[in-house]
PDB file of all heavy atoms in Angstrom:
ATOM      1  N   ASP B 152      16.260 -24.187 -11.304  1.00  0.00           N
ATOM      2  CA  ASP B 152      16.959 -25.313 -11.987  1.00  0.00           C
ATOM      3  C   ASP B 152      16.536 -25.258 -13.447  1.00  0.00           C
ATOM      4  O   ASP B 152      15.364 -25.532 -13.750  1.00  0.00           O
ATOM      5  CB  ASP B 152      16.622 -26.623 -11.356  1.00  0.00           C
ATOM      6  CG  ASP B 152      17.384 -27.777 -11.984  1.00  0.00           C
ATOM      7  OD1 ASP B 152      17.920 -27.610 -13.116  1.00  0.00           O
ATOM      8  OD2 ASP B 152      17.501 -28.807 -11.378  1.00  0.00           O
ATOM      9  N   PRO B 153      17.450 -25.006 -14.381  1.00  0.00           N
ATOM     10  CA  PRO B 153      17.055 -24.838 -15.848  1.00  0.00           C
ATOM     11  C   PRO B 153      16.510 -26.203 -16.425  1.00  0.00           C
ATOM     12  O   PRO B 153      15.917 -26.267 -17.419  1.00  0.00           O
ATOM     13  CB  PRO B 153      18.339 -24.433 -16.559  1.00  0.00           C
ATOM     14  CG  PRO B 153      19.446 -24.705 -15.597  1.00  0.00           C
ATOM     15  CD  PRO B 153      18.806 -24.702 -14.161  1.00  0.00           C
ATOM     16  N   ARG B 154      16.692 -27.283 -15.672  1.00  0.00           N
ATOM     17  CA  ARG B 154      16.277 -28.604 -16.145  1.00  0.00           C
ATOM     18  C   ARG B 154      14.766 -28.794 -15.880  1.00  0.00           C
ATOM     19  O   ARG B 154      14.161 -29.641 -16.466  1.00  0.00           O
ATOM     20  CB  ARG B 154      17.046 -29.733 -15.590  1.00  0.00           C
ATOM     21  CG  ARG B 154      18.531 -29.731 -16.085  1.00  0.00           C
ATOM     22  CD  ARG B 154      19.332 -30.731 -15.298  1.00  0.00           C
ATOM     23  NE  ARG B 154      19.298 -30.227 -13.872  1.00  0.00           N
ATOM     24  CZ  ARG B 154      19.982 -30.805 -12.866  1.00  0.00           C
ATOM     25  NH1 ARG B 154      20.734 -31.840 -13.084  1.00  0.00           N
ATOM     26  NH2 ARG B 154      19.928 -30.369 -11.672  1.00  0.00           N
ATOM     27  N   GLU B 155      14.270 -28.042 -14.875  1.00  0.00           N
ATOM     28  CA  GLU B 155      12.827 -28.096 -14.514  1.00  0.00           C
ATOM     29  C   GLU B 155      11.960 -27.441 -15.597  1.00  0.00           C
ATOM     30  O   GLU B 155      12.420 -26.436 -16.131  1.00  0.00           O
ATOM     31  CB  GLU B 155      12.622 -27.441 -13.147  1.00  0.00           C
ATOM     32  CG  GLU B 155      13.048 -28.305 -11.927  1.00  0.00           C
ATOM     33  CD  GLU B 155      12.532 -27.752 -10.698  1.00  0.00           C
ATOM     34  OE1 GLU B 155      11.352 -27.992 -10.395  1.00  0.00           O
ATOM     35  OE2 GLU B 155      13.315 -27.093  -9.998  1.00  0.00           O
ATOM     36  N   HIS B 156      10.805 -28.000 -15.838  1.00  0.00           N
ATOM     37  CA  HIS B 156       9.870 -27.435 -16.727  1.00  0.00           C
ATOM     38  C   HIS B 156       9.488 -26.011 -16.236  1.00  0.00           C
ATOM     39  O   HIS B 156       9.289 -25.837 -15.005  1.00  0.00           O
ATOM     40  CB  HIS B 156       8.646 -28.324 -16.841  1.00  0.00           C
ATOM     41  CG  HIS B 156       7.758 -27.874 -17.947  1.00  0.00           C
ATOM     42  ND1 HIS B 156       6.754 -26.969 -17.852  1.00  0.00           N
ATOM     43  CD2 HIS B 156       7.738 -28.335 -19.291  1.00  0.00           C
ATOM     44  CE1 HIS B 156       6.235 -26.766 -19.016  1.00  0.00           C
ATOM     45  NE2 HIS B 156       6.719 -27.630 -19.899  1.00  0.00           N
ATOM     46  N   PRO B 157       9.367 -25.040 -17.174  1.00  0.00           N
ATOM     47  CA  PRO B 157       9.007 -23.688 -16.729  1.00  0.00           C
ATOM     48  C   PRO B 157       7.718 -23.591 -15.909  1.00  0.00           C
ATOM     49  O   PRO B 157       7.546 -22.744 -15.067  1.00  0.00           O
ATOM     50  CB  PRO B 157       8.834 -22.912 -18.041  1.00  0.00           C
ATOM     51  CG  PRO B 157       9.644 -23.699 -19.033  1.00  0.00           C
ATOM     52  CD  PRO B 157       9.556 -25.135 -18.595  1.00  0.00           C
ATOM     53  N   SER B 158       6.755 -24.479 -16.139  1.00  0.00           N
ATOM     54  CA  SER B 158       5.526 -24.490 -15.359  1.00  0.00           C
ATOM     55  C   SER B 158       5.739 -24.824 -13.839  1.00  0.00           C
ATOM     56  O   SER B 158       4.812 -24.573 -13.084  1.00  0.00           O
ATOM     57  CB  SER B 158       4.541 -25.496 -15.897  1.00  0.00           C
ATOM     58  OG  SER B 158       5.053 -26.843 -15.745  1.00  0.00           O
ATOM     59  N   LYS B 159       6.859 -25.179 -13.514  1.00  0.00           N
ATOM     60  CA  LYS B 159       7.225 -25.492 -12.122  1.00  0.00           C
ATOM     61  C   LYS B 159       7.606 -24.239 -11.337  1.00  0.00           C
ATOM     62  O   LYS B 159       8.107 -24.296 -10.233  1.00  0.00           O
ATOM     63  CB  LYS B 159       8.353 -26.530 -11.951  1.00  0.00           C
ATOM     64  CG  LYS B 159       7.907 -27.846 -12.565  1.00  0.00           C
ATOM     65  CD  LYS B 159       6.817 -28.513 -11.841  1.00  0.00           C
ATOM     66  CE  LYS B 159       6.521 -29.852 -12.468  1.00  0.00           C
ATOM     67  NZ  LYS B 159       5.296 -30.430 -11.950  1.00  0.00           N
ATOM     68  N   GLY B 160       7.522 -23.081 -11.985  1.00  0.00           N
ATOM     69  CA  GLY B 160       7.896 -21.795 -11.295  1.00  0.00           C
ATOM     70  C   GLY B 160       6.874 -21.487 -10.231  1.00  0.00           C
ATOM     71  O   GLY B 160       5.941 -22.249  -9.943  1.00  0.00           O
ATOM     72  N   LYS B 161       7.100 -20.331  -9.579  1.00  0.00           N
ATOM     73  CA  LYS B 161       6.310 -19.912  -8.468  1.00  0.00           C
ATOM     74  C   LYS B 161       5.485 -18.650  -8.756  1.00  0.00           C
ATOM     75  O   LYS B 161       6.042 -17.662  -9.215  1.00  0.00           O
ATOM     76  CB  LYS B 161       7.185 -19.643  -7.251  1.00  0.00           C
ATOM     77  CG  LYS B 161       6.377 -19.218  -6.012  1.00  0.00           C
ATOM     78  CD  LYS B 161       7.326 -19.008  -4.843  1.00  0.00           C
ATOM     79  CE  LYS B 161       6.457 -18.468  -3.651  1.00  0.00           C
ATOM     80  NZ  LYS B 161       7.280 -18.004  -2.571  1.00  0.00           N
ATOM     81  N   LEU B 162       4.135 -18.762  -8.639  1.00  0.00           N
ATOM     82  CA  LEU B 162       3.301 -17.657  -8.767  1.00  0.00           C
ATOM     83  C   LEU B 162       2.846 -17.147  -7.440  1.00  0.00           C
ATOM     84  O   LEU B 162       2.362 -17.833  -6.625  1.00  0.00           O
ATOM     85  CB  LEU B 162       2.033 -18.015  -9.675  1.00  0.00           C
ATOM     86  CG  LEU B 162       0.960 -16.920  -9.763  1.00  0.00           C
ATOM     87  CD1 LEU B 162       1.561 -15.719 -10.550  1.00  0.00           C
ATOM     88  CD2 LEU B 162      -0.241 -17.449 -10.480  1.00  0.00           C
ATOM     89  N   THR B 163       3.057 -15.784  -7.212  1.00  0.00           N
ATOM     90  CA  THR B 163       2.610 -15.146  -6.044  1.00  0.00           C
ATOM     91  C   THR B 163       1.727 -14.037  -6.369  1.00  0.00           C
ATOM     92  O   THR B 163       1.986 -13.210  -7.239  1.00  0.00           O
ATOM     93  CB  THR B 163       3.859 -14.560  -5.143  1.00  0.00           C
ATOM     94  OG1 THR B 163       4.769 -15.583  -4.923  1.00  0.00           O
ATOM     95  CG2 THR B 163       3.391 -13.974  -3.890  1.00  0.00           C
ATOM     96  N   ILE B 164       0.481 -13.991  -5.730  1.00  0.00           N
ATOM     97  CA  ILE B 164      -0.436 -12.903  -5.966  1.00  0.00           C
ATOM     98  C   ILE B 164      -0.789 -12.290  -4.619  1.00  0.00           C
ATOM     99  O   ILE B 164      -1.233 -13.049  -3.648  1.00  0.00           O
ATOM    100  CB  ILE B 164      -1.648 -13.386  -6.660  1.00  0.00           C
ATOM    101  CG1 ILE B 164      -1.355 -13.936  -8.060  1.00  0.00           C
ATOM    102  CG2 ILE B 164      -2.716 -12.248  -6.795  1.00  0.00           C
ATOM    103  CD1 ILE B 164      -2.496 -14.577  -8.789  1.00  0.00           C
ATOM    104  N   ASP B 165      -0.594 -10.993  -4.414  1.00  0.00           N
ATOM    105  CA  ASP B 165      -0.997 -10.300  -3.215  1.00  0.00           C
ATOM    106  C   ASP B 165      -2.079  -9.315  -3.653  1.00  0.00           C
ATOM    107  O   ASP B 165      -1.895  -8.598  -4.634  1.00  0.00           O
ATOM    108  CB  ASP B 165       0.132  -9.508  -2.639  1.00  0.00           C
ATOM    109  CG  ASP B 165       1.263 -10.440  -2.078  1.00  0.00           C
ATOM    110  OD1 ASP B 165       0.877 -11.392  -1.382  1.00  0.00           O
ATOM    111  OD2 ASP B 165       2.373 -10.220  -2.400  1.00  0.00           O
ATOM    112  N   ALA B 166      -3.215  -9.283  -2.987  1.00  0.00           N
ATOM    113  CA  ALA B 166      -4.241  -8.399  -3.421  1.00  0.00           C
ATOM    114  C   ALA B 166      -4.801  -7.590  -2.238  1.00  0.00           C
ATOM    115  O   ALA B 166      -4.905  -8.231  -1.108  1.00  0.00           O
ATOM    116  CB  ALA B 166      -5.429  -9.185  -4.064  1.00  0.00           C
ATOM    117  N   ASP B 167      -5.121  -6.357  -2.439  1.00  0.00           N
ATOM    118  CA  ASP B 167      -5.804  -5.512  -1.455  1.00  0.00           C
ATOM    119  C   ASP B 167      -7.101  -5.097  -2.153  1.00  0.00           C
ATOM    120  O   ASP B 167      -7.114  -4.335  -3.070  1.00  0.00           O
ATOM    121  CB  ASP B 167      -4.964  -4.276  -1.014  1.00  0.00           C
ATOM    122  CG  ASP B 167      -3.585  -4.620  -0.419  1.00  0.00           C
ATOM    123  OD1 ASP B 167      -3.605  -5.508   0.464  1.00  0.00           O
ATOM    124  OD2 ASP B 167      -2.575  -4.064  -0.821  1.00  0.00           O
ATOM    125  N   ILE B 168      -8.199  -5.506  -1.575  1.00  0.00           N
ATOM    126  CA  ILE B 168      -9.553  -5.254  -2.241  1.00  0.00           C
ATOM    127  C   ILE B 168     -10.403  -4.572  -1.214  1.00  0.00           C
ATOM    128  O   ILE B 168     -10.533  -5.067  -0.032  1.00  0.00           O
ATOM    129  CB  ILE B 168     -10.132  -6.593  -2.693  1.00  0.00           C
ATOM    130  CG1 ILE B 168      -9.212  -7.229  -3.729  1.00  0.00           C
ATOM    131  CG2 ILE B 168     -11.509  -6.415  -3.264  1.00  0.00           C
ATOM    132  CD1 ILE B 168      -9.650  -8.663  -4.193  1.00  0.00           C
TER     133      ILE B 168
END
Side-chain angles (χ1 to χ4, degrees):
D152 185 342
R154 295 171 297 185
E155 284 191 77
H156 191 273
S158 66
K159 300 293 183 190
K161 181 181 176 190
L162 174 64
T163 304
I164 298 175
D165 295 312
D167 298 315
I168 299 172

